[in-house]
């Protein structure tokens, strides 16, 4: 218990919001798949079920609450949000529902932007989608700033949610693979979502047409457990989703494993965040070092005067025990997972496109650190890009990730 407390204190100190002495800085925290119940478990206002144990959201978040500190704290809410147990589930192997009280606890802890576009939001049909939209929208007065991805019509589902943080205008959109088979417009009291392979371009267009200084796009896509995005997906999220001005951040999820992170000009793409905290997910520990962790990113954006925001610093945290009580990995285990993220990032290098996979240097608190050239952030003092793993360590990573050449 004492060592866990010391780790939490060190983590909180390391991620304290930097002083905005010159220019303007904002932090965007990116978290992966989130929900608080096992498949088909009943909902309870007291928490969620992991097998026969009822666990509160507060207990589940106990070790990672310091991560939930930022101007924008995003998570993919991969569950229906309902307070009743009488709605019929869809005929599929895994269906998730989480009580609104648990989601409200996430919001009270700091999560203020959630995606509702994924393949589990509609696990209880259009009616469950309507309940989800009703309950989540009701949290706007409690600190929730954006919850895109669902709507009664296609236009509502595609509509960016806009809000301000400091002096910055933010636009936030979400699209995913979960809407196929559901027709929009939805009946009264119901809600559905747009479809990734049909509506991606429209979602990007709506987002880029919204006046904003920072644009965040959540994308639920791809194959589960795939560590590398397909070339078509890379082109979509790196190129087509690019904002013509300001910063575009793309947060990818669905594979339940971490993928590489890349930057192109002022645009950051996190191709896969893995799991953050979800009782319905398996224990990833047995899947090998390429797939046994989640990824949380803390992105610091900076601008001077009227210049656009730029990605100034990115901190990466490898996570474990995401299926019940998430905690940050530290020490040599963290350094090894950061080598994995760097290896996955190197596969995204594309000189012709101007894309560079981020390489994170291990820090004493377990975080990985990437800094923009010329960053004035004190945490970046003395930062240099680390080399990729080599020798036997590289061979182990390549074998675990299933690709021996980049």
């Amino acid at each position: 218990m004492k060592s866990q407390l010391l780790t939490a204190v060190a983590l909180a100190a390391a991620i304290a919001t930097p002083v905005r002495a010159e220019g303007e800085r904002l932090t965007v925290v990116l978290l992966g798949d989130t929900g608080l119940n096992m498949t088909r478990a009943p909902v309870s206002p007291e928490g969620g079920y992991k097998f026969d144990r009822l666990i509160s959201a507060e207990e589940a978040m106990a070790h990672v609450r310091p991560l939930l500190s930022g101007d924008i704290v995003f998570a993919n809410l991969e569950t229906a949000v309902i307070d009743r147990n009488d709605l019929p589930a869809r005929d599929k192997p895994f269906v998730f529902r989480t009580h609104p009280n648990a989601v409200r606890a996430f919001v009270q802890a700091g999560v203020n932007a959630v995606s509702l576009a994924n393949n589990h939001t509609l696990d209880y049909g259009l009616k469950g989608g309507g309940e989800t939209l009703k309950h989540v929208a009701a949290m706007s007065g409690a600190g929730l700033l954006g919850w895109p991805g669902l709507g009664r019509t296609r236009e509502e589902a595609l509509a960016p949610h806009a809000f301000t943080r400091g002096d910055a205008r933010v636009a936030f959109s979400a699209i995913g693979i979960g809407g196929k088979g559901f027709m929009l417009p939805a009946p009264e009291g119901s809600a559905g979502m747009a479809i990734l392979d049909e509506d991606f371009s429209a979602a990007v267009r709506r987002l880029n047409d919204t006046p904003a200084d920072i644009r965040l796009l959540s994308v639920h896509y791809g194959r589960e457990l795939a560590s590398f995005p397909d070339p078509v997906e890379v082109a979509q999220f790196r190129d087509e989703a690019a904002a013509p001005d300001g910063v575009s951040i793309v947060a990818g999820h669905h594979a339940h494993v971490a993928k590489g992170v890349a930057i192109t000009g002022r645009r950051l793409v996190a191709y896969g965040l893995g799991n953050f905290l979800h009782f319905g997910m398996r224990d990833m520990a047995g899947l090998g070092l390429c797939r046994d962790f989640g990824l949380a990113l803390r992105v610091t954006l900076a601008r001077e005067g009227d210049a656009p925001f730029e990605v100034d610093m990115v901190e990466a945290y490898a996570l474990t025990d995401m299926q019940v009580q998430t905690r940050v990995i530290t020490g040599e285990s963290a350094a090894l997972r950061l080598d994995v993220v760097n290896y996955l990032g190197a596969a995204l290098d594309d000189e012709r496109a101007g894309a560079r996979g981020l390489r994170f240097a291990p820090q004493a608190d377990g975080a990985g650190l990437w800094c923009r050239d010329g960053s004035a952030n004190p945490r970046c003092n003395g930062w240099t890009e680390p080399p990729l793993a080599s020798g036997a360590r590289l061979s182990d990573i390549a074998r675990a990730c299933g690709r021996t050449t980049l």
Side-chain angles (χ1 to χ4, degrees), residues 269-287:
V269 182
Y271 286 92
L273 297 164
N275 298 331
F276 171 59
L277 173 57
H278 202 309
F279 290 178
M281 304 303 169
R282 73 174 91 178
D283 183 353
M284 308 297 282
L287 297 182

Side-chain angles (χ1 to χ4, degrees), residues 109-133:
V111 175
N112 58 19
V114 297
S115 168
L116 300 181
N118 55 66
N119 63 316
H120 286 290
T121 305
L122 298 177
D123 279 355
Y124 288 80
L126 291 174
K127 183 65 174 177
E131 293 283 301
T132 298
L133 189 56

